[in-house]
Amino acid sequence: MSNSFSANLLLWFDQHGRHDLPWQLNITPYRVWISEVMLQQTQTTTAAPYFTNFIDTFPSIDKLASASIDTVLHNWTGLGYYARARNLHKAANLLMDKYNGELPMSVSELEALPGIGPSTAGAIVAICANRKATILDGNVKRVLARCFAIDGWPGKKATAKALWQKAEQLTPDTRVRDYTQAIMDLGATLCTRTSPDCSNCPFETECIAHQSNRSDQFPAKKPKKVVPVRTTTMLVIENPQGELLLQQRLSTGLWSGLWSFPEGDAIKDTLLQLDIETTLIESQARKEKFRHSFTHFHLEITPVHVKLTDTPATIGGKPIVWYSPSAPAEIGLTGPVTRLLKELG
Ligand code: SF4
């Protein structure tokens, strides 16, 4: 089926695929790399404006490498999975040191760079060099699992192996660039997670899952684990100028290097650690709690809005900024900060 699979897919792509996404225009290895990394955990419509802004701000590997990590994280704020931005920055510096500021065009060399796995490496080689290479991102996994009824959760080794073998076997020798874009596009536009548009799909008559009315069963879901819930209180401390106190997180661990509101279970203790005298407090309002979820736990956050009558002279021992929402500093913010800033309007 491999020849007919790719021929079918390419025929569909020529007529119905998307050809004007920002990263499909003016294809360069740098642009493809940035887009593939953004698309690893972000949907096309969300990623597109971020991509355009990122490329405008860092138009080359050299510009990305020489930017400060804070500026890179600032431009990533809102996309989540910040390790991707940190790895892009690290990889850009490695490319400057080792490869003269160019991306190498081999899967093995690309895979050795931070944040580039086999599928992203395959996509870069296939799209940029139009050379045969395998890709298997989330969209492709879904299409293949359904078309060929491949059982099991794709996070399981055996399932991942079966999917990779199928992806390898189906990749054609010619028009690899188009094929690569086409299969990702089919997964993103027709073979969607919850409501696949099978009547417009080029595989309608061959797809095993669809033919047996089981498209909702593929790919199999991740086995459910009970995810623990942790709680915290975030202090949104505002000075009389309307600026908000942000602290930089440690360079390792959760939200490493990003800027966030001070946290602690007891409000008084947190203020004490920041050397903020209680006499400076004008008002204090507890806001509705909300949940921020990570892969391994949920964080239940209770925000407390503290208004000060003055800006304290000293603030704890850690790096801080007084962040002005109307003239934001170029720093990376955590998800809850972005959310609370929006709520504060
Ligand atoms: S027929 Fe439906 S389930 Fe099968 S690949 Fe096409 S869109 Fe997906």
Side-chain angles (χ1 to χ4, degrees), residues 143 146-147 186 190-191 196-198 201 203-204 207 209-210 215:
V143 172
R146 286 175 175 168
C147 270
L186 185 91
L190 288 188
C191 194
D197 183 1
C198 302
C201 177
F203 303 118
E204 188 190 2
C207 172
H210 172 58
S215 44

Side-chain angles (χ1 to χ4, degrees), residues 124-132 173-178:
I124 295 171
V125 169
I127 295 173
C128 301
N130 200 15
R131 229 173 41 224
K132 192 165 175 173
D173 296 322
T174 55
R175 293 193 66 190
V176 181
R177 170 186 295 157
D178 289 344

